[in-house]
Amino acid sequence: MAEFSGLEHIVRENEPLAPYGWLRTGGVARYFAEPTTEDELVSLIVLCKAQGISVKLLGGGSNILVASDIVDAMVIHLSSAAFTEIHVDGNCVVAKGGAKLVQLLSTAAREGLSGLESLAGIPGTVAGALKTNAGTHNDDIGQWTRAVKVLTRDGEVAVREGDQLRFAYRESSLNELVILEGVFELKAMDSVEVTKRTQTQWILCKGQQPRGAAGTICMFRDHGGVTAKSLIESAGLKGAAMGAASLNDACPNYLELNEGGSVENAVALLNHVQAEVEAQSGVALVRQVEIW
């Protein structure tokens, strides 16, 4: 039996994970915690390391597919105010890692700070966006990131900035356990204009996504200048299904889990699409969804 002395008020055992993921499926977490302060989080990480308990971070759930009956780990959900706050300091927006990306964009627009508009319509948290360098083909969050506060796997808090930060297409050098906070240096602009740009990008992005968030999940990253959607269509996979899991008709890079569908259906379809695209085009698609 693991020991979490002093943290019993934030740790639960055998927590169902289905409510936290967009596909609403999956098993339970052996341990589950929602820390309320940074100190609690650090203490929890140190205790887990001392007892050999692996740690998994759960963000907005938009890229998680829980395939195991039991996730034998400490699953940490950073949902409290200490991990979701956003404030503005001059031309910089400072956002905690657990804050929703949409909240970061609305704050920047309200304060008349431009630069992040291309992220409109992308789901998830600030931490997830930083880790994967979210954005479009022409712009990404890394271009505006000046510093990132992280928590290492040893439970040490550090700040990454300057040449310690590297961003490339859909990836970054941020491989620490927790991204606690990002600092984004933006350009001053009329707030009405920033809001208009954000709304326009949101409409464009949502037009390329299936209607409704729950029950769908984006499977693969785009491959260089070629979209995953076009590679899937070229492989003749539009409309493919495994049981009650199917590819969205309009956006075949999105997997839908229909009524009666199982996580096994979803994983089977994901593997099938990945294998067929590689067989047809030679491109090994990189998964955007993380399977636990």
Side-chain angles (χ1 to χ4, degrees):
M1 178 66 182
E3 175 61 44
F4 299 105
S5 179
L7 298 174
E8 296 88 351
H9 62 295
I10 63 168
V11 176
R12 303 193 290 272
E13 293 187 50
N14 299 318
E15 176 79 4
L17 293 173
Y20 299 95
W22 279 21
L23 291 187
R24 301 292 185 261
T25 62
V28 301
R30 180 78 70 189
Y31 305 106
F32 185 92
E34 293 181 293
T36 60
T37 67
E38 190 174 297
D39 286 343
E40 285 182 349
L41 174 62
V42 171
S43 297
L44 184 62
I45 297 302
V46 171
L47 283 173
C48 284
K49 183 180 180 183
Q51 298 176 84
I53 300 171
S54 63
V55 174
K56 291 182 179 292
L57 268 292
L58 177 64
S62 62
N63 68 332
I64 297 294
L65 177 56
V66 181
S68 304
D69 291 334
I70 299 177
V71 177
D72 193 12
M74 168 64 75
V75 175
I76 299 177
H77 191 217
L78 300 180
S79 57
S80 72
F83 304 104
T84 58
E85 294 173 340
I86 300 174
H87 72 270
V88 176
D89 183 7
N91 279 10
C92 289
V93 180
V94 183
K96 298 294 186 180
K100 300 292 186 184
L101 199 53
V102 65
Q103 295 172 323
L104 171 60
L105 299 187
S106 63
T107 299
R110 185 185 67 243
E111 298 295 326
L113 295 173
S114 173
L116 301 176
E117 296 92 313
S118 67
L119 302 176
I122 298 175
T125 62
V126 170
L130 283 167
K131 185 175 182 180
T132 62
N133 193 24
T136 64
H137 288 287
N138 300 317
D139 201 4
D140 54 56
I141 197 170
Q143 295 178 30
W144 306 96
T145 304
R146 293 298 168 262
V148 180
K149 184 180 178 183
V150 301
L151 177 63
T152 70
R153 288 170 175 78
D154 292 327
E156 297 177 355
V157 176
V159 175
R160 307 289 187 228
E161 55 189 339
D163 58 8
Q164 293 178 307
L165 287 174
R166 294 184 303 279
F167 294 95
Y169 181 75
R170 297 299 173 270
E171 62 182 13
S172 75
S173 58
L174 295 165
N175 61 356
E176 285 84 3
L177 181 60
V178 185
I179 296 176
L180 292 169
E181 180 180 279
V183 180
F184 309 99
E185 187 175 352
L186 307 177
K187 299 184 299 183
M189 183 180 290
D190 179 70
S191 62
V192 174
E193 179 61 25
V194 180
T195 299
K196 186 184 300 182
R197 292 185 179 191
T198 303
Q199 291 173 339
T200 299
Q201 179 59 32
W202 186 89
I203 292 169
L204 289 172
C205 185
K206 288 302 179 181
Q208 299 169 4
Q209 297 175 3
R211 294 181 181 275
T216 66
I217 197 165
C218 186
M219 297 185 294
F220 304 105
R221 301 179 191 176
D222 291 341
H223 183 78
V226 183
T227 65
K229 172 186 174 182
S230 65
L231 289 167
I232 293 168
E233 290 176 337
S234 296
L237 292 167
K238 192 171 182 178
M242 291 281 182
S246 61
L247 303 187
N248 181 267
D249 288 337
C251 311
N253 190 30
Y254 281 79
L255 183 151
E256 296 181 332
L257 195 59
N258 305 301
E259 186 176 353
S262 67
V263 67
E264 289 80 13
N265 294 155
V267 173
L269 182 56
L270 185 72
N271 291 335
H272 174 67
V273 171
Q274 193 170 26
E276 283 298 308
V277 168
E278 185 166 13
Q280 296 286 337
S281 65
V283 174
L285 287 173
V286 177
R287 293 179 180 178
Q288 183 163 306
V289 59
E290 185 178 343
I291 299 178
W292 287 3

